[in-house]
Amino acid sequence: MTINGIDKSFDEVDVEISGDRVYVTALTPNHSETISFETTINYVGDEMIYEVIYNNDNGVYREISVGDILDNVEVNTEHRLKGTFHGSVKSILLDGDNETFSFTNGSFDIDY
């Protein structure tokens, strides 16, 4: 994916399943950045991932409103998740910091 114009690779992926929910957390090679989201098994199409959260050394940023992250889930089975996304996340700090990170070219293809 590209974050604020810089290409990033999130190669380490942790997947947890609880009932019909899939929780995904991906980390950069040095673990300084993570991105996480959740989805429901077997649901495909637009707007099927939620609770998108991006963490870096400076803080935690999340999808504030529906539509901030646009996604398309192409494959969503009990053992595979594949799709694309783009959009933005904002700071969740209450100190007035409104820092925004823009995502483009986001994709995931996970066998678990």
Side-chain angles (χ1 to χ4, degrees):
M1 78 163 43
T2 304
I3 301 176
N4 285 356
I6 300 170
D7 290 337
K8 302 279 183 171
S9 179
F10 292 77
D11 295 336
E12 187 177 326
V13 180
D14 178 47
V15 177
E16 294 182 27
I17 300 170
S18 179
D20 64 350
R21 300 290 268 198
V22 179
Y23 301 89
V24 175
T25 301
L27 299 90
T28 55
N30 64 3
H31 295 189
S32 66
E33 298 170 80
T34 65
I35 187 163
S36 61
F37 63 86
E38 60 187 81
T39 189
T40 304
I41 294 173
N42 294 325
Y43 286 81
V44 296
D46 295 335
E47 302 302 314
M48 291 293 128
I49 64 173
Y50 15 88
E51 297 298 325
V52 176
I53 300 172
Y54 169 66
N55 291 284
N56 66 18
D57 292 334
N58 296 323
V60 179
Y61 308 85
R62 73 177 340 128
E63 179 180 22
I64 301 298
S65 353
V66 173
D68 285 348
I69 299 289
L70 302 174
D71 66 84
N72 181 272
V73 175
E74 301 164 25
V75 177
N76 189 355
T77 67
E78 291 183 21
H79 301 289
R80 184 158 185 234
L81 185 60
K82 179 180 180 182
T84 59
F85 64 96
H86 66 278
S88 62
V89 290
K90 297 178 184 168
S91 173
I92 63 169
L93 298 176
L94 300 176
D95 63 2
D97 176 13
N98 291 321
E99 187 172 15
T100 300
F101 287 88
S102 297
F103 300 154
T104 56
N105 306 313
S107 66
F108 47 93
D109 190 352
I110 306 164
D111 290 313
Y112 59 93

